[in-house]
Amino acid sequence: QVHVEESGGGSVQSGGSLRVSCSVPGDTPMSCMAWFRQAEGKEREEVAAIDRKGQTKYTESVKGRFTISRDAGTNTIYLEMNRLTPEDTAMYYCAADRMHYGYQCTLVPLRDMDYWGRGTLVTISS
């Protein structure tokens, strides 16, 4: 059983910053890790992804505001979120994948990730 452990999140005023963290314990390397979010009444969307080489991709609405990073050689990633707006309010989920995507992690939509966390709530007040 692979556990995806998320931490961070919380509440902040519009314009503020938050950081969420995610770790997949164990020795099995995850080739692709990503953050998704789902706002109330909306479909889940991919926010940012990173492969083991550190290549990244972002959804358009967070480019320039969010930064995904990864501790080199580990299954620990972070999402630094700046200039937050109420539209960023959502449950944020971390997902990890062993081998479905590989180098395509940052090239294609991630529709079939192996492992998911339970989510951490991010609330932005205006």
Side-chain angles (χ1 to χ4, degrees), residues 36-40 88-93 118-122:
F36 293 74
R37 68 185 179 185
Q38 187 167 19
E40 191 171 345
D88 296 313
T89 294
M91 187 72 81
Y92 283 70
Y93 298 91
R118 292 188 173 187
T120 184
L121 184 61
V122 171

Side-chain angles (χ1 to χ4, degrees), residues 31-34 48-57 68-70 77 105-106:
S31 65
C32 179
M33 297 185 71
I50 188 167
D51 65 16
R52 285 190 68 81
K53 292 186 176 181
Q55 299 290 323
T56 61
K57 70 169 175 178
I68 189 170
S69 60
R70 185 169 186 165
I77 66 169
C105 175
T106 59

Side-chain angles (χ1 to χ4, degrees), residues 13-126:
Q13 287 191 324
S14 185
S17 299
L18 284 172
R19 188 174 89 153
V20 289
S21 304
C22 171
S23 180
V24 180
D27 296 328
T28 302
M30 297 295 154
S31 65
C32 179
M33 297 185 71
W35 288 99
F36 293 74
R37 68 185 179 185
Q38 187 167 19
E40 191 171 345
K42 295 187 177 181
E43 292 188 356
R44 186 178 65 198
E45 67 168 339
E46 182 184 328
V47 176
I50 188 167
D51 65 16
R52 285 190 68 81
K53 292 186 176 181
Q55 299 290 323
T56 61
K57 70 169 175 178
Y58 300 91
T59 192
E60 195 63 36
S61 63
V62 308
K63 284 181 181 178
R65 300 189 299 123
F66 289 15
T67 302
I68 189 170
S69 60
R70 185 169 186 165
D71 287 343
T74 76
N75 294 334
T76 298
I77 66 169
Y78 309 93
L79 185 68
E80 185 75 34
M81 303 179 285
N82 298 311
R83 304 202 311 273
L84 287 160
T85 73
E87 287 67 39
D88 296 313
T89 294
M91 187 72 81
Y92 283 70
Y93 298 91
C94 178
D97 188 88
R98 284 198 305 126
M99 63 178 65
H100 284 138
Y101 294 100
Y103 74 93
Q104 292 186 317
C105 175
T106 59
L107 301 176
V108 300
L110 304 177
R111 305 187 194 281
D112 189 22
M113 301 293 277
D114 286 334
Y115 310 109
W116 290 85
R118 292 188 173 187
T120 184
L121 184 61
V122 171
T123 304
I124 314 303
S125 58
S126 58

